[in-house]
Amino acid sequence: MAAVSSMRKMYGLCFHAVRQTAGRKASRLLQHRAFRVTAVHQQQPFDSSLEKPQFPGASAEFVDHLEFIQPNVISGIPIYRVMDRQGKIVNPSEDPQLSKETVLNFYQNMTLLNTMDRILYESQRQGRISFYMTNYGEEGTHLGSAAALDPHDLVFGQYREAGVLMYRGFPLDLFMAQCYANADDLGKGRQMPVHYGSRDLNFVTISSPLATQLPQAAGAAYAMKRENLNRAVICYFGEGAASEGDAHAGLNFSATLECPLIFFCRNNGYAISTPTSEQYRGDGIAARGPGYGMLSIRVDGNDVFAVYNATKEARRRAVAENQPFLIEAMTYRIGHHSTSDDSSAYRSVDEVNYWDKQDHPISRLRHYMTARGWWSEDDERSWRKQSRKTVMEAFERAEKRLKPNPELLFTDVYQEMTPNLDKQRESLWRHVQQYKEHYPLDLYDKYQH
């Protein structure tokens, strides 16, 4: 019995020491992580005498009558705007008071993007490139949001945000190089067209699968928060991508981890051929924000100033307060989903013409500039001619460039070539030599080690 008693005492001492060590480690870990925990998130002291809910998963009161909550608690989330369709400021206090040079920069980038779209779309139709996606009708969402960010903020795009890259200074030559997969392409010809990316401009390379960028953006924003970098992340996606499971994961992670992240949803009416009426039953995408404990706003995506104001404020608060924001920009996809789509099969010409002729972000901004004497018919003709010439020159240069060297198929995965890749490379060159009449290597760039 004495031996048993001695063993119990020793076990008790060891257990106490382990608990103390674990407690110190946990304390150091919490100090290292330094999470901001608000009073709302702290567990309240438990008092069983109070006749109110004590469940840790929600903040609510008991009721004594059966009632299901209606899906639309309010009669539609309002749409924030600054300009009306004629380019007039609705509320002067909301005018961002941007300089003439800034507004002209918006307009010229929007119209340059529009011109590039038209030329590359026709290029695909002529068989010069394999695929393309236009940005018609959504230019305001690109320029308004891009201008409100810091250049160091990280961008995760979906595949219809070329204007964001253009605003950041991505040259026409690199847009063309990517679509033509030539030797100047930063991706070395490995991606399908419109899958742009630029490390220098903090724009993560686009990937085809829908919504994969949302949890990736949450992880990137969490890392920035941990490193206290004073940077934000913006993640673009469409209302169709919001139906993917990755969208839920990204939104929930960013909210619970309190990340400096802006979720920017381009609600353009159609996910390829699926209209919003078949995509969801609730009040759009902004209505989902409160369910994640996230601040949300719905804006007129065809109003570049409304997009700018909302993104600027969301960016400021995301960094200052370490919390995510959800912006739903209501807009309209005027073009086909892609060159693989024929939208006339699921929507009328009259519907498209309305948005193209009467509620277009480019024409709205032009009305604003014209009313201030900042833009004239002569300016318009001159700029359209100049911008088309600039795009065509880049287009012609891209067509003349060689294709990337086939050796690049095997690089950039491992620092040193692995034995299996060596065998594959040797097999490739044997095949090319055997059937060299089918592989005109003079069209490919010389590989530089």
Side-chain angles (χ1 to χ4, degrees):
M1 290 296 293
V4 172
S5 177
S6 177
M7 288 179 65
R8 284 177 175 169
K9 287 180 180 179
M10 186 177 294
Y11 174 78
L13 288 170
C14 290
F15 182 70
H16 180 68
V18 168
R19 287 186 64 182
Q20 281 189 323
T21 302
R24 285 195 295 271
K25 286 182 177 179
S27 177
R28 285 197 298 269
L29 179 61
L30 287 172
Q31 290 173 3
H32 175 69
R33 291 169 72 178
F35 290 147
R36 176 178 63 84
V37 181
T38 63
V40 175
H41 297 140
Q42 292 174 353
Q43 181 66 48
Q44 299 299 318
F46 181 76
D47 186 350
S48 60
S49 65
L50 294 176
E51 190 58 34
K52 68 180 207 177
Q54 299 289 344
F55 307 112
S59 175
E61 297 293 334
F62 283 123
V63 295
D64 57 8
H65 57 280
L66 177 64
E67 181 182 7
F68 289 97
I69 296 173
Q70 296 297 318
N72 292 326
V73 179
I74 60 174
S75 58
I77 295 175
I79 302 172
Y80 168 69
R81 71 172 182 172
V82 175
M83 286 189 291
D84 64 17
R85 290 167 186 159
Q86 287 71 46
K88 297 177 181 176
I89 300 297
V90 178
N91 179 356
S93 67
E94 293 297 315
D95 186 345
Q97 300 292 337
L98 298 174
S99 68
K100 176 182 177 181
E101 290 71 23
T102 300
V103 174
L104 288 177
N105 186 30
F106 282 7
Y107 185 77
Q108 290 179 336
N109 272 286
M110 289 164 74
T111 49
L112 183 64
L113 173 61
N114 190 271
T115 301
M116 183 182 80
D117 275 348
R118 293 183 189 281
I119 289 172
L120 285 174
Y121 181 85
E122 292 303 321
S123 175
Q124 192 280 334
R125 286 296 186 243
Q126 296 166 8
R128 296 168 184 261
I129 60 176
S130 61
F131 179 82
Y132 195 68
M133 303 180 81
T134 64
N135 302 275
Y136 302 147
E138 301 184 47
E139 297 90 348
T141 65
H142 300 187
L143 273 298
S145 59
L149 300 172
D150 186 279
H152 296 99
D153 292 338
L154 189 62
V155 178
F156 284 82
Q158 183 162 302
Y159 44 57
R160 212 183 301 277
E161 289 86 22
V164 177
L165 256 181
M166 185 172 282
Y167 182 83
R168 287 195 167 194
F170 200 67
L172 285 172
D173 283 317
L174 289 183
F175 278 115
M176 298 291 177
Q178 200 284 325
C179 289
Y180 273 87
N182 66 29
D184 295 329
D185 175 23
L186 298 179
K188 303 178 183 178
R190 297 166 178 154
Q191 283 269 29
M192 65 187 293
V194 306
H195 287 51
Y196 311 112
S198 172
R199 179 181 295 178
D200 292 342
L201 299 177
N202 297 300
F203 192 103
V204 178
T205 302
I206 293 165
S207 57
S208 292
L210 279 182
T212 54
Q213 72 272 22
L214 276 82
Q216 293 166 3
Y222 181 55
M224 289 179 182
K225 170 189 172 178
R226 293 293 300 268
E227 295 182 17
N228 197 26
L229 293 177
N230 199 36
R231 293 170 64 191
V233 176
I234 189 167
C235 179
Y236 294 91
F237 60 103
E239 85 286 346
S243 295
E244 295 284 342
D246 275 346
H248 165 70
L251 289 161
N252 199 44
F253 267 120
S254 66
T256 55
L257 296 175
E258 298 174 326
C259 303
L261 172 57
I262 303 165
F263 289 103
F264 194 102
C265 176
R266 297 176 293 93
N267 191 335
N268 63 19
Y270 292 90
I272 308 182
S273 60
T274 304
T276 54
S277 60
E278 297 176 16
Q279 189 68 241
Y280 51 74
R281 282 292 177 269
D283 183 20
I285 308 304
R288 302 179 191 180
Y292 292 105
M294 190 180 299
L295 289 168
S296 310
I297 190 171
R298 175 176 287 158
V299 304
D300 182 345
N302 292 348
D303 177 352
V304 68
F305 295 155
V307 174
Y308 173 83
N309 284 352
T311 309
K312 185 177 181 180
E313 179 64 7
R315 195 267 172 198
R316 182 189 70 80
R317 293 188 60 182
V319 172
E321 302 168 12
N322 272 333
Q323 64 170 317
F325 285 75
L326 174 60
I327 298 174
E328 181 182 21
M330 309 305 291
T331 183
Y332 189 83
R333 192 197 79 213
I334 292 173
H336 305 297
H337 173 75
S338 72
T339 49
S340 302
D341 174 45
D342 177 8
S343 64
S344 65
Y346 53 84
R347 59 183 185 176
S348 70
V349 174
D350 289 341
E351 176 184 321
V352 177
N353 282 340
Y354 166 78
W355 293 98
D356 190 27
K357 306 300 182 186
Q358 298 187 44
D359 196 1
H360 198 290
I362 291 177
S363 60
R364 191 185 296 195
L365 186 59
R366 184 181 172 186
H367 289 321
Y368 174 89
M369 296 191 303
T370 302
R372 279 157 181 72
W374 293 354
W375 198 251
S376 66
E377 287 292 337
D378 289 341
D379 292 326
E380 182 72 15
R381 283 192 293 271
S382 175
W383 168 245
R384 291 287 184 172
K385 183 178 179 180
Q386 178 190 336
S387 60
R388 180 172 176 79
K389 180 175 181 289
T390 304
V391 173
M392 286 302 299
E393 288 172 350
F395 169 83
E396 290 168 2
R397 286 193 295 270
E399 279 206 316
K400 293 175 182 177
R401 287 291 286 126
L402 297 174
K403 295 293 182 183
N405 191 287
E407 283 278 342
L408 295 174
L409 286 168
F410 306 97
T411 62
D412 298 329
V413 176
Y414 299 99
Q415 185 174 359
E416 297 180 5
M417 196 74 73
T418 59
N420 65 319
L421 283 179
D422 273 327
K423 290 180 181 178
Q424 290 177 31
R425 183 172 60 177
E426 292 168 5
S427 176
L428 168 71
W429 288 116
R430 282 197 305 270
H431 176 84
V432 169
Q433 289 302 316
Q434 185 175 355
Y435 302 100
K436 53 188 174 184
E437 67 274 16
H438 299 291
Y439 298 97
L441 292 179
D442 56 326
L443 300 181
Y444 290 80
D445 197 31
K446 294 286 190 295
Y447 178 61
Q448 301 293 329
H449 288 277

